[in-house]
Amino acid sequence: MIAPATGRKPPPAGRWLLREPSHESEARLFCLPFAGTGAASFRGWPGRIGPLEVCPVQLPGRENRIREDGYRDFDTFAADASRALAPYLDRPYALFGHCMGALLCYALTVRIQEEGGRLPDRLYLSSCLVPSRGFFGMFHPSMSDERLGRELGRVVRRLGGGEILPDLLPLAIRVLRGDVDMCYGYRPPGPYPLKSPISAIGWRDDPDVGPRDLREWDAYGQVTHHTLDGDALAYLTAPTALTDLIAEDFAPAAP
């Protein structure tokens, strides 16, 4: 069922994207962020992958939307995002998400499917358990702020950002903790079959999500499976194996 309207007016669509998508693009790839990060986590990605223009999505509560309240549940996110991004879903498109980002992709697709909107031509779901199983990953609500700070620092260093400034660390931890709490509170009944095809992506050195876990996505629709070299954060640098996979798996649906 579609979640009821929340009464919360979504911000202008332009605030959801780092840059305005090109009117000339053949297709678009909307990238949803990993827990504790924003759209800038995709700064290592190219601007285009095959026919797809890469469009990182910005969530409230981080980076240029730092003054806004972050989401606390996936249904509210999906309701807002489906409306805010609708003007940009006027041509073939796909969604990419890693871990929490993959759950965001799933929730958004469920919402669009139930609303009868234009569905993504493919979902790229990286290092993510099926939603009905419950969330599991490198972060946990029981972690101390110190531990979360260390883990977040590791992500930032992989992005080439150096150390988090001490004045910004409490805010960064608060954003991450909010994301982690939201993920652990999300366990929709399932499987819910999606009409969009899925590319389930695993990483050989990921200690949390293995090939057997990703096979559970088979109950959610038409799924192709891929295992790439690297650990759970390898996607941050858009390795060639990943971008080649995205380009090869994308096929717009017939009009």
Side-chain angles (χ1 to χ4, degrees), residues 32-38 41-42 59 62 97-101 104 135 138-139 151-152 155 176 179 232-233 235-236:
L32 281 297
F34 177 67
T37 69
S41 61
F42 292 97
L59 299 185
R62 58 209 78 202
H98 177 85
C99 199
M100 183 190 87
L104 293 170
F135 186 76
M138 68 174 66
F139 304 122
E151 295 295 332
L152 187 58
V155 175
L176 176 56
D179 287 351
L233 296 179
Y235 85 97
L236 290 168

Side-chain angles (χ1 to χ4, degrees), residues 42-186:
F42 292 97
R43 65 190 177 197
W45 283 48
R48 190 171 298 277
I49 298 175
L52 292 155
E53 178 185 10
V54 175
C55 302
V57 175
Q58 188 68 285
L59 299 185
R62 58 209 78 202
E63 296 170 6
N64 63 311
R65 299 183 65 184
I66 195 65
R67 295 183 182 276
E68 301 175 44
D69 291 334
Y71 286 110
R72 292 295 177 262
D73 67 88
F74 282 83
D75 288 340
T76 304
F77 155 77
D80 286 357
S82 65
R83 285 177 286 167
L85 296 177
Y88 301 99
L89 309 184
D90 60 344
R91 64 201 64 198
Y93 74 97
L95 302 177
F96 174 90
H98 177 85
C99 199
M100 183 190 87
L103 293 178
L104 293 170
C105 291
Y106 170 81
L108 177 56
T109 303
V110 169
R111 179 78 186 197
I112 293 172
Q113 183 167 308
E114 292 186 338
E115 289 177 335
R118 180 172 188 154
L119 288 164
D121 293 270
R122 182 163 289 273
L123 300 180
Y124 299 95
L125 307 181
S126 171
S127 191
C128 186
L129 301 179
V130 294
S132 59
R133 185 171 164 185
F135 186 76
F136 183 79
M138 68 174 66
F139 304 122
H140 192 275
S142 65
M143 287 181 174
S144 66
D145 284 356
E146 181 182 6
R147 174 73 182 281
L148 287 176
R150 288 200 303 269
E151 295 295 332
L152 187 58
R154 186 162 67 93
V155 175
V156 172
R157 286 191 293 275
R158 285 289 290 272
L159 286 167
E163 299 297 328
I164 303 173
L165 295 175
D167 290 348
L168 297 179
L169 185 57
L171 177 59
I173 292 172
R174 185 167 73 245
V175 170
L176 176 56
R177 189 173 292 283
D179 287 351
V180 172
D181 288 345
M182 185 172 77
C183 288
Y184 274 88
Y186 183 58

